Amino acid sequence: MDDSKKRLTPLSELGEFGLIDKLTSDIKLKNSSTLVGIGDDAAVIKSKKDLLTLVSKDLLLEGVHFDMMYAPLKHLGYKAAVVNFSDIVAMNGKPKQLLVGIGVGAKFSVEAIEEIYFGIKTACKIYGVDFIGGDTTASASGLVISATVIGEVEQDRIVYRKGASPNDLICVSGDLGGAYIGLLILEREKQAFKANPDLQPELSEHDYVLQRQLKPEARTDIVEILAKNKIIPTSMIDVSDGLASDVKHLCKASNTGCIISEEKIPIDQETYEMSKIFNLVPSVSALNGGEDYELLFTIKQSDYEKIKEIAEISVIGYMVDASEGERFITNDNITVDLEAQGWDALKRRQSEIPDNGS
Ligand code: ADP
Ligand code: MG
């Protein structure tokens, strides 16, 4: 617990190459497509016939995407990797290789960076991804983590944001809104801590939503379930910005409208109860929260029989003609514009995120 008593190694003691070596010397390769990983000027990947290569990158900046005050470093590393894997999963693919660039300020210790790498390596292990390279540099403006993932998907199984048609069913995996509620709790505790540093954070009862925020998972399992049930979605995206925004991406790319039912949106009990405490309509947490990294996808109506018994997948609406717009049916059976409903409510709330308690 008490890190302050341990002597921390300043970065200058190791130098760039010493640091790279310390961070990467234990990395082992698992995937047959990875011919060469860390150590040469470039990693080498062998592409296979009938497989498409997927590439995606995410940039995380201290103060913009995370707050060092409440993001434990190993979780930060884990999340940096997993959000990238999620982008590959959203194409119906499998993540295979990862590269990570880090920019670190002089105030960081070697041990702190090792923590971040512990998280990255843990994610790679769990998801069967090879860590094949990166870059290391000093940063004058806080911590920067840039991760690039390479994945693969069979040519005939790739799913884009475009491809949905009117009448296709809109489905989502898992539950939504939890990551946002987790963030609100962390914000609240941070403000309380600033006001009174002797206060112990009250986090223990909120395990689920905190985990949703701090340690999200990519739904590789859903891609497998879909394959096993012989379903190829007509369009797909991962929910990083919130359901409202992401369903709009599908509609725009597919040139459709949509109808989403509030009562069908899957919301976990803890998310529901904490939304109430934060004075938020629970579905608004789901619509606008973001960072849930669930999969949002459309299927043909004829695939409904295949999907209806899968507990991890909910049907929340259907696509309509673009001319009908993007609509939201509330629990009171009132149909409103999807955008107006969500964003207004969130804007109102964000200006009054509680400072302490509720
Ligand atoms: P270059 O000068 O060509 O950029 P580097 O000395 O930066 O080479 O990198 C040497 C090897 O270490 C390369 O294989 C590179 O991918 C890897 N590497 C560098 N920094 C990192 C890092 N932060 N994480 C993982 N691998 C890294
Ligand atoms: Mg380099």
Side-chain angles (χ1 to χ4, degrees):
M1 250 348 271
D2 193 0
D3 279 337
S4 59
K5 294 219 182 74
K6 268 191 265 155
R7 197 189 83 89
L8 297 176
T9 318
L11 281 173
S12 54
E13 207 165 284
L14 280 186
E16 182 189 336
F17 300 121
L19 177 66
I20 295 174
D21 198 48
K22 196 163 182 50
L23 295 176
T24 63
S25 58
D26 62 339
I27 290 173
K28 294 185 185 64
L29 303 177
K30 300 165 286 242
N31 289 311
S32 61
S33 56
T34 317
L35 298 189
V36 175
I38 289 164
D40 214 314
D41 293 315
V44 184
I45 297 167
K46 192 175 173 64
S47 22
K48 287 177 219 146
K49 202 170 149 273
D50 299 329
L51 284 182
L52 298 175
T53 301
L54 306 165
V55 187
S56 181
K57 177 184 200 71
D58 267 302
L59 185 59
L60 292 174
L61 301 181
E62 180 179 348
V64 179
H65 301 97
F66 59 88
D67 187 323
M68 298 294 294
M69 220 172 135
Y70 55 61
L73 291 172
K74 62 180 180 213
H75 286 174
L76 200 57
Y78 191 88
K79 185 168 174 174
V82 161
V83 301
N84 269 278
F85 301 164
S86 181
D87 282 322
I88 299 297
V89 167
M91 307 294 288
N92 212 23
K94 295 191 183 88
K96 293 287 174 183
Q97 287 95 12
L98 183 77
L99 298 111
V100 175
I102 49 169
V104 275
K107 68 171 186 197
F108 269 83
S109 66
V110 171
E111 286 78 9
I113 301 175
E114 280 186 296
E115 275 285 294
I116 298 172
Y117 268 65
F118 176 76
I120 296 171
K121 290 177 202 169
T122 302
C124 285
K125 204 173 284 170
I126 289 174
Y127 287 87
V129 170
D130 286 330
F131 194 170
I132 59 162
D135 201 20
T136 310
T137 175
S139 159
S141 57
L143 179 64
V144 178
I145 307 175
S146 165
T148 303
V149 64
I150 298 165
E152 58 189 37
V153 60
E154 285 106 31
Q155 251 170 50
D156 52 3
R157 294 199 60 85
I158 189 160
V159 180
Y160 300 97
R161 292 179 182 188
K162 66 170 190 215
S165 315
N167 297 321
D168 284 1
L169 301 174
I170 302 171
C171 306
V172 71
S173 64
D175 56 73
L176 297 175
Y180 179 62
I181 294 300
L183 182 64
L184 290 187
I185 293 172
L186 290 169
E187 275 292 335
R188 182 181 78 180
E189 295 308 317
K190 178 182 164 183
Q191 299 301 338
F193 180 81
K194 271 194 193 154
N196 180 359
D198 293 332
L199 272 186
Q200 289 298 308
E202 286 175 40
L203 298 174
S204 53
E205 301 149 43
H206 308 301
D207 284 352
Y208 181 69
V209 292
L210 290 175
Q211 188 200 323
R212 296 291 284 170
Q213 169 58 224
L214 294 174
K215 192 173 169 288
E217 303 292 351
R219 298 307 304 257
T220 42
D221 58 328
I222 298 292
V223 167
E224 278 162 26
I225 288 173
L226 291 172
K228 209 164 67 200
N229 287 278
K230 303 201 165 26
I231 299 164
I232 298 179
T234 52
S235 68
M236 185 149 68
I237 190 170
D238 62 332
V239 184
S240 52
D241 296 338
L243 175 61
S245 169
D246 290 319
V247 80
K248 277 165 177 291
H249 285 308
L250 293 185
C251 289
K252 184 156 183 249
S254 300
N255 190 30
T256 59
C258 67
I259 294 183
I260 302 282
S261 294
E262 181 173 24
E263 62 172 12
K264 302 272 174 59
I265 299 175
I267 295 175
D268 164 78
Q269 188 66 22
E270 206 174 297
T271 306
Y272 187 88
E273 282 162 16
M274 286 310 292
S275 292
K276 295 273 180 188
I277 288 174
F278 282 114
N279 221 355
L280 277 168
V281 177
S283 64
V284 171
S285 304
L287 284 166
N288 297 303
E291 293 204 290
D292 289 311
Y293 299 101
E294 294 295 343
L295 288 177
L296 176 69
F297 56 96
T298 53
I299 59 168
K300 291 275 158 230
Q301 290 224 359
S302 53
D303 280 337
Y304 177 68
E305 288 299 317
K306 298 183 200 165
I307 216 150
K308 70 172 196 217
E309 304 298 342
I310 303 172
E312 279 291 286
I313 296 174
S314 310
V315 177
I316 58 168
Y318 55 96
M319 290 298 195
V320 294
D321 196 82
S323 64
E324 291 176 55
E326 291 138 356
R327 312 284 278 164
F328 184 70
I329 305 176
T330 69
N331 287 341
D332 310 323
N333 214 14
I334 298 166
T335 303
V336 295
D337 193 80
L338 184 60
E339 196 170 31
Q341 159 80 16
W343 288 114
D344 279 0
L346 185 72
K347 270 192 212 131
R348 212 164 47 239
R349 289 297 316 155
Q350 273 201 329
S351 57
E352 50 188 75
I353 287 175
D355 287 341
N356 55 54
S358 50

